[in-house]
Structure formats: structure tokens, C-alpha cells
């Protein structure tokens, strides 16, 4: 039988989510003559994890999340990760603002809005952690304007739904940053991919990548056209796999040696959601709490104001749930099919070494609606079950791999960070893991460029520093310069118009 003809590209990007969309634009900016193709299996782009309803829409900038500021054994707070994530989110803001300023991605208000970010400390320990976090970040330019209060009157003014009429007794405190954002990463993905097409890129929907093989210094990409059922072949010297939960299975099928020992375990997220206008109006904020003592960091609850398709909502969660699929639209057999002789040891070690996480997941999966309501009432004491519906969000595929010194290896979940895997001299790069996710897409994709094209980075650096300044750049910006460029980006994106500044005194 005659084989289908091969189409030639300079770069093929697998998956039409926020990551491929971001990388596609960066490559098109740096190498305008390159032929770039994005292949997406669904009928629309940005429909899996990047879809607004499949994530929490938080522009993670380290402003309020306890899990980025762990306490040291002496009780002091390590804020280095929050500062790093703040700088990474700045890179995203600068990247989006550069495109918005020249009209390439439409009106920014369609995908990003100012929503204050607040940290919520409960109990003496939680309050001490929050105060330590606030003190350690005070004075950093990216965290300017953050306020701290444990005064019930101030808290009721900031967060009427949470603190108006809250029973007294438990110590509580809140930090409040006016620099927070709510992002619709689905709309943003589609805008970025349209901009890529306008720059000559090719975006093919309903095109599922079924195989990757390396021949003669090129990658051959096998594709099933789900519309016509015709198999297609593309060839390119460079492939990026940004297929979300589909990444590991595709790399396994391709026999990529770097992931031979990796396993994967999917965890779904669920949220309680309301659109009752008086509730939504009483909570224009994203409030992040902390995990209960002994609980894993993924159990961090948050109550978020969201705007999706012009409609306002509140979302509370996440609650962990289980589905064996690796994508929301994946197959029930995904988990079973991911088990290979090479990754059985890591699966066994992960089950052995993550007992508290597994116990937490079992508890969550068995949780009743009454338990979910009790969790919500820690934030919204007067919450009524009839006002809130349970909705499913996206799948997080936690990647499992061995870590630690030889001889004392443990099975570890890396899904709470992001890992860039490269193979064949950097000619193939792939993104595994989920957190902090879409917010850091610009700097994560600059990292992919550095891992894939180390010899070109010096030549690309001046342009990249303008587009998405990276903390890994040979000449990184100092915090004041970065904050000045972030402020300019916020202005272009219209984020300072309704930044929620309260005018209240800092404690
Ligand atoms: C519950 C939850 C809450 C989250 N909250 C936040 C948050 O508040 N803020 C934040 O910044 N991040 C958040 N994230 C993380 C964020 O959603 C992800 O990091 C981000 O969307 C990942 O983008 P992606 O492009 O890698 O993957 P995706 O958006 O999943 O895109 C991958 C695409 O690849 C396609 N694909 C898969 N296999 C193939 C194939 N073989 N051929 C062709 N196409 C294929 C899929 O259909 C999909 O469209 C959250 C995630 C979850 C699950």
C-alpha cells in the first residue's frame, strides 16, 4: 500500500493548550521563517486543562498561596518559591501585554481581570505562618501593596461573605494583595493560536498524534485526521509534546528512554460553584487557605471569584476525585495502559512512600456532600447547600519517578511541579507535571527553548528579554526593574483600573 506523503515543518507542537500556544508564538517571533504546526485532537483548542472550567483561573504570582511559602523548622518562612513564581508570572504578564499592545490577541479584558488575592490563616499556627509570610515578603517590589489584618472589622470589610457575622473564637488573619488576577486560560489559548496563524503558523484541530519516531535526524509524526480518518505524516527536526495528560502515553509509545521508568497517576479536581448574584457580589476576591496539619499541600482550599463567558461565579475547592482517564476526554483504560515493565518499580515505591497522600485521596474520594459543605463553611459560615453545585474540573496527571540518593530511593510524585523532559539532543521536548501551571507558561516555555536550543539562546536573548524576561536569563532583571516592567504590563492589560485597592492601613 502506498504511504501518505510527508509534510515538512521546522517545528511540530503536539496539543493545542496554553503551553503549545505560548511556545508557538515565541518560536514565530524568534524565527519568523519557520514553518510551525500545532496539532490538536479535539474540535477546539484550549478545551482540556487550559479550559476555564477545568482549572481555577488563578494567575499564580505567589501573592497568597501558603504552599509556596513553607515554614522552616525554626518557624521562619521561606519565601523564595513565592518570589520565583511572582517573577514567572511577571514574565507571562509582560508576554501577554506585548501581544495585546499590537492588537494580536484582542481585548485583554476577555481573558484577564484584576481580582485581589488574599491569604487566609486559621488557628494560632495558621495566623503565625501568615504573619511570617507577610513580614518576609514585605518590601519586595513584586509584593508591593500587600496588607495584613487580624481585625474582625477590617476582615468583614474586605471579605463580607467570609467574615460578616463569623462566630468569634478561632484566631484568624488575612493578607490582601491588590495585584491578583483571574485568568481565562481557554480564551487566552485560542487568542494565542489565532495570533500564531496570523503569523503563518498552521493549527490543525481534530488531528491526533498517534506516533513519534526518529529517522535520519528528523522526527516523523504520525497523525490520525479524526475528521476524514485519513492517516497523515509530518516531518520536522523539532517536536514539542505539550499534550497535557496525553504527553506521557505518547512518549511511552515512542519509546523515549528518558521516561522509561516514569509512572503516572491521575487525580481529578471538583469544585463547588454558585452564581447566586448576592453571594458573588459579596466576594470579589480569590482567597487561599492552608492545608490542615498533616494534610498534603494539594488539599489547600480556596474560594475564588471567577468570570467565565461574561458571567460571574464563585468556586470553592478543589476536592480530589478519581478517574482512570489521563485527559477529561481520555479513555478509561489510560491508567492501565500506562503500566509498563519499566515503571512497575516506581509505581510500587510511590504507593509505599506516599501513604499520607494516598490516605488523603481515599478520604477525599469517599467524602460526602456533608463533608464538602463543612469544608465550605470554614470559609463561608452561612453557606447553604442548595446554592452550590458540584462541578468537575480537569485531570492532573501526577508523574511518578524515583528520587533521592542511590540506595535510598523513594517513589516521588513530581506532578506538583513542572518538569521539562528532552530527548535526542533536545530535538524533542515534553512537559510533564501540572503546577503552578498555566500562569507560568511564558517562563516555562522559555525554559523549553533553553533546553531544546542551547546554541541559539545567546542570539535569541535580546528578543526574549523583551518578550518574556526569564529568571534564567544570563542578565536577569533586578527586582525593581522587573516590577517596573510588570507595572507597565499591568497598565497595558487594563489591570489597574479595578485593582480593588482598599485604602485601609496596613497592620
Ligand atoms: C483542577 C485544576 C486546577 C488548576 N488551577 C490552575 C490555576 O488556578 N492556575 C494555573 O495557572 N493553573 C492551574 N492549573 C494547571 C493548568 O490548568 C495547566 O497547567 C495548563 O492548563 C496545562 O496546559 P497544557 O497546554 O500543558 O495542557 P492542556 O491544556 O491539557 O492541553 C493539552 C492538549 O493536548 C491535546 N492532546 C492530548 N493528546 C494529544 C494527541 N495525541 N494528539 C493531539 N493532541 C493531543 C489535548 O486534547 C489538549 O487540548 C489547574 C489544573 C487543574 C487540573
Amino acid at each position: 500500500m502506498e504511504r501518505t506523503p510527508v509534510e515538512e515543518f521546522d517545528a511540530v507542537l503536539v496539543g493545542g493548550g496554553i503551553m503549545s500556544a505560548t511556545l508557538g508564538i515565541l518560536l514565530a517571533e524568534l524565527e519568523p521563517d519557520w514553518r510551525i504546526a500545532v496539532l490538536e485532537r479535539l474540535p477546539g483548542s484550549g478545551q482540556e486543562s487550559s479550559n476555564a472550567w477545568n482549572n481555577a483561573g488563578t494567575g499564580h504570582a505567589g501573592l497568597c498561596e501558603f504552599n509556596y511559602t513553607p515554614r522552616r523548622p525554626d518557624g521562619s518562612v521561606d519565601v523564595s518559591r513565592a518570589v520565583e513564581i511572582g517573577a514567572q508570572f511577571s514574565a507571562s504578564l509582560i508576554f501577554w501585554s506585548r501581544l495585546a499592545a499590537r492588537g494580536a490577541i484582542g481585548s485583554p479584558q476577555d481573558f484577564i481581570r484584576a481580582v485581589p488575592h488574599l491569604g487566609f490563616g486559621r488557628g494560632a499556627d495558621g495566623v503565625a505562618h501568615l504573619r511570617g509570610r507577610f513580614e518576609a515578603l514585605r518590601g519586595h517590589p513584586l509584593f508591593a501593596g500587600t496588607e495584613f489584618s487580624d481585625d474582625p472589622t477590617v476582615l468583614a470589610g474586605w471579605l463580607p461573605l467570609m467574615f460578616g457575622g463569623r462566630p468569634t473564637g478561632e484566631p484568624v488573619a488575612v493578607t490582601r494583595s491588590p495585584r491578583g488576577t483571574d485568568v481565562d486560560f481557554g480564551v487566552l489559548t485560542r487568542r494565542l493560536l489565532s495570533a500564531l496563524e496570523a503569523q503563518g503558523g498552521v493549527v490543525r484541530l481534530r488531528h491526533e498524534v498517534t506516533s513519534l519516531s526518529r529517522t535520519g535526524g528528523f522526527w516523523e509524526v504520525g497523525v490520525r485526521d479524526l475528521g476524514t480518518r485519513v492517516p497523515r505524516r509530518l516531518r520536522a527536526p523539532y517536536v514539542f509534546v505539550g499534550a497535557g495528560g496525553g504527553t506521557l502515553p505518547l512518549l511511552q509509545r515512542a519509546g523515549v528512554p528518558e521516561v522509561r521508568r516514569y509512572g503516572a497517576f491521575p487525580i481529578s479536581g471538583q469544585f463547588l460553584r454558585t452564581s447566586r448574584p448576592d453571594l458573588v457580589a459579596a466576594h470579589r476576591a480569590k482567597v487561599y487557605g492552608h492545608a490542615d496539619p498533616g494534610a498534603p499541600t494539594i488539599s489547600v482550599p480556596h474560594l475564588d471569584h471567577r468570570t467565565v463567558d461574561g458571567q460571574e461565579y464563585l468556586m470553592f475547592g478543589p476536592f480530589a476525585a478519581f478517574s482512570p482517564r489521563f485527559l477529561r476526554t481520555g479513555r478509561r483504560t489510560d491508567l492501565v495502559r500506562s503500566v509498563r515493565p519499566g515503571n512497575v518499580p516506581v509505581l510500587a515505591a510511590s504507593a509505599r512512600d506516599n501513604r499520607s497522600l494516598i490516605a488523603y485521596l481515599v478520604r477525599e474520594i469517599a467524602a460526602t456532600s456533608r463533608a464538602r459543605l463543612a469544608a465550605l463553611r470554614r470559609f463561608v459560615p452561612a453557606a447553604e447547600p442548595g446554592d452550590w453545585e458540584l462541578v468537575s474540573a480537569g485531570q492532573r496527571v501526577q508523574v511518578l519517578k524515583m528520587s533521592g540518593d542511590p540506595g535510598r530511593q523513594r517513589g516521588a510524585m513530581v506532578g506538583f511541579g513542572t518538569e521539562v523532559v528532552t530527548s535526542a539532543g533536545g530535538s524533542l521536548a515534553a512537559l510533564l507535571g501540572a503546577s503552578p501551571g498555566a500562569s507560568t507558561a511564558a517562563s516555562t516555555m522559555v525554559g523549553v527553548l533553553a533546553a531544546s536550543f542551547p546554541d541559539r539562546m545567546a542570539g535569541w536573548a535580546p528578543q526574549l528579554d523583551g518578550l518574556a524576561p526569564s529568571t534564567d536569563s544570563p542578565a536577569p532583571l533586578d527586582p525593581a526593574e522587573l516590577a517596573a516592567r510588570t507595572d507597565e504590563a499591568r497598565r497595558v492589560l487594563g489591570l489597574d483600573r479595578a485593582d480593588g485597592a482598599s485604602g485601609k492601613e496596613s497592620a
Side-chain angles (χ1 to χ4, degrees):
M1 208 175 84
E2 211 179 300
R3 295 192 78 195
T4 48
V6 178
E7 287 180 87
E8 305 281 348
F9 287 92
D10 294 293
V12 170
L13 316 183
V14 184
I18 187 73
M19 297 300 175
S20 291
T22 302
L23 185 64
I25 293 277
L26 287 172
L27 283 173
E29 294 283 323
L30 296 167
E31 298 291 340
D33 297 333
W34 278 18
R35 292 155 301 169
I36 300 168
V38 176
L39 304 170
E40 166 56 52
R41 65 192 278 274
L42 295 177
S45 50
Q47 297 297 347
E48 273 286 343
S49 288
S50 302
N51 177 281
W53 286 127
N54 292 342
N55 60 69
T58 301
H60 285 298
L63 299 169
C64 62
E65 307 88 339
F66 281 84
N67 50 324
Y68 301 147
T69 51
R71 283 174 106 179
R72 301 189 185 93
D74 67 1
S76 63
V77 178
D78 177 1
V79 294
S80 52
R81 182 96 176 105
V83 170
E84 183 189 9
I85 285 165
Q88 289 177 333
F89 190 61
S90 286
S92 289
L93 289 176
I94 291 165
F95 177 61
W96 302 333
S97 73
R98 290 287 292 253
L99 299 171
R102 61 173 204 238
I105 52 173
S107 167
Q109 282 73 46
D110 295 342
F111 61 83
I112 189 164
R113 290 169 193 80
V115 175
H117 281 191
L118 296 94
F120 171 32
R122 283 174 37 236
D125 212 45
V127 170
H129 188 171
L130 188 67
R131 192 184 285 276
R133 183 186 206 282
F134 170 72
E135 293 295 344
L137 288 168
R138 211 212 286 253
H140 191 290
L142 287 181
F143 296 81
T146 305
E147 301 166 271
F148 174 95
S149 182
D150 54 7
D151 174 342
T153 313
V154 173
L155 300 192
W158 285 350
L159 298 167
L161 191 65
M162 289 177 59
F163 292 102
R166 173 177 285 262
T168 51
E170 186 185 41
V172 286
V174 164
T175 54
R176 181 183 189 280
S177 169
R179 299 170 71 90
T181 50
D182 178 47
V183 186
D184 185 330
F185 291 108
V187 170
L188 179 60
T189 300
R190 289 185 282 283
R191 296 281 169 91
L192 291 172
L193 288 174
S194 296
L196 177 63
E197 285 182 300
Q199 285 179 255
V202 170
V203 178
R204 293 204 181 133
L205 303 176
R206 306 194 73 192
H207 278 59
E208 182 167 40
V209 174
T210 52
S211 65
L212 294 170
S213 57
R214 185 137 175 95
T215 38
F218 288 86
W219 285 98
E220 193 169 302
V221 182
V223 182
R224 193 184 299 132
D225 179 335
L226 299 174
T228 62
R229 299 272 146 196
V230 173
R232 295 179 185 275
R233 288 187 299 150
L234 277 60
R235 188 161 49 204
Y238 178 67
V239 170
F240 170 68
V241 187
T247 298
L248 189 67
L250 194 53
L251 298 183
Q252 286 180 324
R253 278 205 297 282
V256 170
E258 287 78 4
V259 301
R260 193 171 293 139
R261 296 188 195 291
Y262 285 17
F265 187 79
I267 299 177
S268 337
Q270 293 180 320
F271 288 89
L272 288 170
R273 183 173 76 185
T274 183
S275 58
R276 218 182 92 172
D278 55 328
L279 300 180
V280 172
H283 188 82
R284 299 203 174 274
K286 283 175 175 273
V287 179
Y288 276 65
H290 47 81
D292 286 331
T297 51
I298 56 162
S299 60
V300 168
H302 45 101
L303 179 64
D304 289 26
H305 186 278
R306 305 284 314 272
T307 304
V308 179
D309 295 334
Q311 165 92 36
E312 295 181 310
Y313 302 85
L314 296 185
M315 258 168 69
F316 178 77
F319 301 101
F322 176 73
S323 154
R325 300 174 208 271
F326 280 7
L327 294 161
R328 269 196 75 146
T329 55
R331 284 177 293 202
R332 286 187 162 279
T333 51
D334 283 345
L335 178 57
V336 171
R337 290 157 69 111
S338 75
V339 179
R340 307 281 168 116
N343 64 21
V344 169
V346 76
L347 292 169
S350 300
R352 181 194 67 209
D353 298 333
N354 293 280
R355 293 232 171 102
S356 67
L357 181 60
I358 291 166
Y360 161 77
L361 291 174
V362 170
R363 273 199 312 277
E364 282 279 291
I365 291 160
T368 57
S369 50
R370 188 192 288 251
R372 284 190 287 268
L373 181 65
L376 172 62
R377 282 188 174 154
R378 276 179 225 137
F379 275 63
V380 184
E384 288 299 333
D387 293 328
W388 299 78
E389 59 172 336
L390 188 66
V391 293
S392 291
Q395 289 290 96
R396 279 186 207 264
V397 176
Q398 315 297 141
V399 172
L400 311 172
K401 66 176 198 177
M402 291 298 198
S403 72
D405 302 330
R408 292 188 54 201
Q409 294 236 303
R410 291 171 46 79
M413 283 200 176
V414 297
F416 307 121
T418 330
E419 175 157 325
V420 176
V421 171
T422 55
S423 189
S427 63
L428 179 140
L431 190 68
L432 296 169
S435 188
S439 302
T440 60
S443 65
T444 304
M445 290 304 106
V446 172
V448 164
L449 291 176
S452 305
F453 303 100
D455 300 342
R456 291 179 187 257
M457 285 304 276
W460 287 345
Q463 221 179 328
L464 276 178
D465 284 346
L467 270 174
S470 163
T471 42
D472 298 330
S473 158
L477 297 175
D478 72 39
E481 273 178 297
L482 182 60
R485 287 195 53 194
T486 307
D487 287 347
E488 171 60 13
R490 291 177 54 85
R491 194 190 57 70
V492 172
L493 294 169
L495 296 174
D496 288 331
R497 272 200 292 271
D499 70 5
S502 69
K504 290 201 166 66
E505 290 296 309
S506 302

